[in-house]
Amino acid sequence: MKVFKEIMSWVIPILVGLLVALLIRQFVFTFARVDGPSMEPNLVNKERLIVWRHAKIKHLSVIVFDAHGEDPTATKPKTDYVKRVIGLPGDTVSSKNGNIYVNGKAVPQKFISMSERTTGTGNWNLKSLSKSWDKNTNATKVPKGEYFVLGDHRSVSNDGRYWGFVPKKKITGVAKTFFWETNKTKRTNVNSLGY
């Protein structure tokens, strides 16, 4: 009996600790890793991120979401993408000469260079883009409960321009960088730009 009590005095705290860790990961935050160059220069391939599940999604927030069922090329469930939120529900979004406009106002894009703003961005609005999408054809605004996202490295990013919007239910959370992963400017560009 004494041996059993001794064993349980170790086992119960370990089980409780594992349960708490699992609940935190499921409901508070989780971790993700960048895959590919679509968020350069602010996030690089294989960079690790912490993802806050219930953080408020704002314009320019960097989010992690499951692209399966949204991007036709994401054929496997749980295919996580990391992108920047440009349009919130109800927003109009357009691009002209490298400038992005949300509801007619230019979005400050100091987080990427002029060449990154213009190369591969093109001139478009949601209606012109949506003509080639599988869903939301002829959209003029971001639908209720959905978001429009772009990668920072526009010329290589597979993002909302090509397949449409991200439903809130597919969003894991808002991504933040670790202070040891990158420099101050890049951390600010990922962690602090939301408005």
Side-chain angles (χ1 to χ4, degrees), residues 37-40 81-84 119-120 149-163:
S38 74
M39 286 299 291
E40 290 175 353
Y81 283 10
V82 179
K83 303 291 179 194
R84 192 175 297 276
T119 306
V149 298
L150 296 176
D152 287 356
H153 194 223
R154 307 271 160 78
S155 64
V156 299
S157 180
N158 175 16
D159 52 38
R161 292 171 294 172
Y162 304 105
W163 38 259

Side-chain angles (χ1 to χ4, degrees), residues 9 13 34 39 63 66 68-69 82 95 97 103 115 118 130 144 148 161 163 181 192:
S9 74
V34 178
M39 286 299 291
I63 61 168
D66 180 5
H68 178 69
V82 179
S95 172
N97 301 324
N103 301 322
S115 69
T118 55
S130 69
K144 184 178 180 181
F148 183 74
R161 292 171 294 172
W163 38 259
E181 284 278 350
S192 306

Side-chain angles (χ1 to χ4, degrees), residues 19-30 53:
L19 180 62
V20 168
L22 185 66
L23 288 171
I24 287 172
R25 191 169 177 144
Q26 186 68 32
F27 297 106
V28 181
F29 67 85
T30 189
R53 292 189 178 274

Side-chain angles (χ1 to χ4, degrees), residues 72-174:
T73 66
T75 56
K76 295 179 184 174
K78 305 268 186 212
T79 302
D80 285 344
Y81 283 10
V82 179
K83 303 291 179 194
R84 192 175 297 276
V85 173
I86 302 299
L88 300 178
D91 284 347
T92 61
V93 183
S94 61
S95 172
K96 188 169 185 182
N97 301 324
N99 294 308
I100 301 291
Y101 296 90
V102 174
N103 301 322
K105 292 184 178 177
V107 174
Q109 295 187 84
K110 293 180 181 174
F111 54 89
I112 54 176
S113 70
M114 182 54 81
S115 69
E116 287 159 338
R117 285 178 225 167
T118 55
T119 306
T121 300
N123 295 332
W124 48 261
N125 60 35
L126 292 178
K127 188 167 186 174
S128 67
L129 291 177
S130 69
K131 290 176 183 174
S132 63
W133 298 343
D134 291 340
K135 300 187 269 188
N136 294 304
T137 52
N138 295 314
T140 56
K141 292 184 176 183
V142 181
K144 184 178 180 181
E146 302 195 24
Y147 297 82
F148 183 74
V149 298
L150 296 176
D152 287 356
H153 194 223
R154 307 271 160 78
S155 64
V156 299
S157 180
N158 175 16
D159 52 38
R161 292 171 294 172
Y162 304 105
W163 38 259
F165 306 110
V166 180
K168 185 165 177 49
K169 66 183 179 189
K170 298 299 271 311
I171 298 172
T172 306
V174 176

